Amino acid sequence: HGHLLVAEIAVAHLNKTAPDVLDVAFKMVAEYQDFFPKTKNFVPSAAWSDNLHSQDFRLLAEWHYNDRPWQVDENLPPLPPANPSNMIWALESCIKGISSPKLTPWAASFYIRWINHLIGDLHQPLHNIAQYSSNFPDGQGDRGGNECKLSPIAGLSSQIKDLHKLWDSAGGTFVQDPFYPPTGPGFTPELQLKFANQTRELMKKYPFESFEMNRFDPIDVDQWSLEGFNLAIKYAYISDSQTSPPLLKCLKSTKLTFPIENLKAVQDITHQQIALAGYRLATVLKSSLPKTWVVPISSSTDDASQMKEIKDLLTELREAQTKLLQQQSNSTTTQSTKTVSPATVVICLLAGGAAAACGYVWWRRRSLTNYRVLNDEQELGNMVTVS
């Protein structure tokens, strides 16, 4: 699971360079852990937001990607308006939120899990692109390769059924997800050891010093996403060497045969991106987290206080999204007064979505004893330190 490796690398790097920051991160993740089953420690917390997908909770699904359009054919319909509530906006908002002097314990637990996860998504090239062609001329294009179905690839897991999954799995090298299904064994000691060894190998092959310092400073989320977009164009949508131009154009109803000669390039690029993401995650945490973290004495653990924190946070996010959508609406051509604008639809969905999110976390709180399947000793109690 690439997200766990990104988090492991960040832990190892911070353990050497900024252990005080690591201590704050650990404490933030541990707060309100009842709302985040199985992810009370930093490394497994990277998978929390994907766990929501496995439970069909997709209210924040668009936070996981920024599908920059890439047109490969001419004479296509006009592109749909960009979704401003995307991965870039979400990550920037979470970084801003976790830096706020008004940060509450629940918000800290929420923000740090999303930062941990989204920096991983940001460095998977196909989370930053959507191919538009005569086969996928409108809508969301090929959805970052999700609609680009592949025939089975010899030697790789049968789970890899599309181009996006191939890159998610780092070319088939990191397929296993210890948190799916939710009733599975979780992050067992055996998997912890496996991830520690893989982390050590990645950091040895791609040490922090091998990257230019301007790739970490300044922290520029949009630029980091653009890097992924360019990598996807250069390496993800490449067909075999016999095709001219060598463009892999996704088909609607036919499975493509992935050129096996390109598999090593996928593995090398994704491995390097995982290492880079881990170091950048460490950089963001060093830049954004407070120097110390002590839960305010006034912070209450009763349900009413927790729900107020959640409601306030979701209200803040909804207001920010509404403002962003209004800005986008003002910058476009005025629509007919009889037409309901996309911004109006999204705002209405967000208003209902915030209430749904509050209901979800309340239900999760109440059903926790039935949901939790791991004993404490099966959870990741101590972080694995990479020497």
Side-chain angles (χ1 to χ4, degrees):
H1 196 292
H3 284 290
L4 304 187
L5 289 168
V6 169
E8 285 271 21
I9 290 171
V11 167
H13 187 64
L14 287 173
N15 194 49
K16 293 179 179 178
T17 62
D20 54 331
V21 174
L22 194 57
D23 180 64
V24 170
F26 286 177
K27 288 178 179 177
M28 285 183 168
V29 170
E31 295 296 336
Y32 289 93
Q33 58 188 256
D34 286 357
F35 280 99
F36 308 100
K38 291 193 188 180
T39 62
K40 70 178 185 181
N41 300 105
F42 185 79
V43 171
S45 77
W48 172 75
S49 57
D50 273 349
N51 295 354
L52 299 182
H53 282 297
S54 66
Q55 300 166 55
D56 285 332
F57 184 78
R58 298 181 177 272
L59 179 65
L60 306 176
E62 58 194 15
W63 284 20
H64 294 260
Y65 57 88
N66 176 45
D67 284 350
R68 294 175 190 262
W70 179 44
Q71 290 183 295
V72 297
D73 289 327
E74 298 179 352
N75 301 319
L76 297 180
L79 291 171
N83 172 26
S85 177
N86 56 32
M87 175 175 61
I88 293 175
W89 177 87
L91 182 52
E92 289 177 339
S93 297
C94 289
I95 292 172
K96 180 180 179 182
I98 211 166
S99 305
S100 170
K102 298 180 180 179
L103 184 66
T104 63
W106 194 91
S109 288
F110 179 86
Y111 284 139
I112 198 166
R113 281 171 169 81
W114 274 104
I115 291 170
N116 196 354
H117 183 85
L118 291 177
I119 287 184
D121 278 349
L122 189 72
H123 287 78
Q124 204 277 61
L126 288 174
H127 278 257
N128 300 279
I129 194 170
Q131 185 190 85
Y132 287 82
S133 66
S134 55
N135 298 320
F136 293 96
D138 49 27
Q140 292 180 285
D142 78 334
R143 297 194 309 116
N146 277 289
E147 300 298 333
C148 202
K149 306 305 179 185
L150 300 179
S151 299
I153 302 174
L156 299 190
S157 168
S158 59
Q159 297 178 37
I160 300 174
K161 298 179 180 181
D162 56 66
L163 190 65
H164 189 98
K165 184 65 176 178
L166 178 66
W167 282 77
D168 264 354
S169 67
T173 53
F174 304 132
V175 179
Q176 190 170 13
D177 182 348
F179 298 101
Y180 186 84
T183 55
F187 205 26
T188 62
E190 292 76 17
L191 274 179
Q192 292 176 40
L193 179 60
K194 178 180 179 180
F195 277 108
N197 290 334
Q198 290 174 333
T199 301
R200 187 179 295 109
E201 292 171 5
L202 285 172
M203 294 183 74
K204 183 178 180 180
K205 187 173 182 180
Y206 304 106
F208 178 77
E209 296 75 16
S210 67
F211 297 98
E212 295 180 0
M213 291 303 103
N214 61 8
R215 303 196 73 180
F216 302 99
D217 186 14
I219 295 172
D220 188 338
V221 174
D222 187 65
Q223 177 59 36
W224 294 354
S225 173
L226 185 59
E227 289 176 9
F229 174 79
N230 290 328
L231 283 173
I233 292 176
K234 188 174 181 180
Y235 296 104
Y237 292 97
I238 301 299
S239 65
D240 59 78
S241 57
Q242 306 303 313
T243 305
S244 182
L247 171 67
L248 192 152
K249 192 161 72 172
C250 300
L251 304 175
K252 252 205 166 129
S253 55
T254 305
K255 293 182 179 180
L256 290 171
T257 299
F258 182 80
I260 198 68
E261 64 196 66
N262 296 347
L263 188 59
K264 187 176 185 305
V266 176
Q267 294 170 346
D268 289 345
I269 292 163
T270 48
H271 290 179
Q272 185 178 47
Q273 286 294 101
I274 287 171
L276 178 60
Y279 299 133
R280 279 178 167 168
L281 173 57
T283 301
V284 167
L285 295 179
K286 282 195 283 187
S287 171
S288 306
L289 297 192
K291 300 301 180 185
T292 59
W293 181 249
V294 179
V295 179
I297 296 175
S298 60
S299 177
S300 174
T301 57
D302 64 83
D303 284 348
S305 297
Q306 291 177 349
M307 291 309 298
K308 184 179 185 306
E309 281 198 46
I310 296 165
K311 183 179 178 181
D312 289 346
L313 174 63
L314 291 172
T315 298
E316 181 183 341
L317 290 171
R318 187 175 71 249
E319 289 174 350
Q321 287 179 311
T322 300
K323 182 178 180 181
L324 197 64
L325 288 165
Q326 288 173 339
Q327 290 173 347
Q328 183 192 46
S329 178
N330 293 337
S331 66
T332 57
T333 304
T334 304
Q335 305 251 340
S336 167
T337 56
K338 295 183 179 181
T339 303
V340 178
S341 71
T344 303
V345 175
V346 174
I347 291 168
C348 291
L349 290 173
L350 286 169
C358 287
Y360 164 77
V361 294
W362 177 87
W363 168 79
R364 179 59 58 204
R365 170 82 170 175
R366 294 300 182 187
S367 61
L368 178 66
T369 54
N370 294 325
Y371 175 79
R372 188 180 289 276
V373 297
L374 291 184
N375 296 321
D376 284 343
E377 59 267 20
Q378 289 177 289
E379 304 244 16
L380 181 59
N382 297 310
M383 289 296 111
V384 179
T385 300
V386 180
S387 58

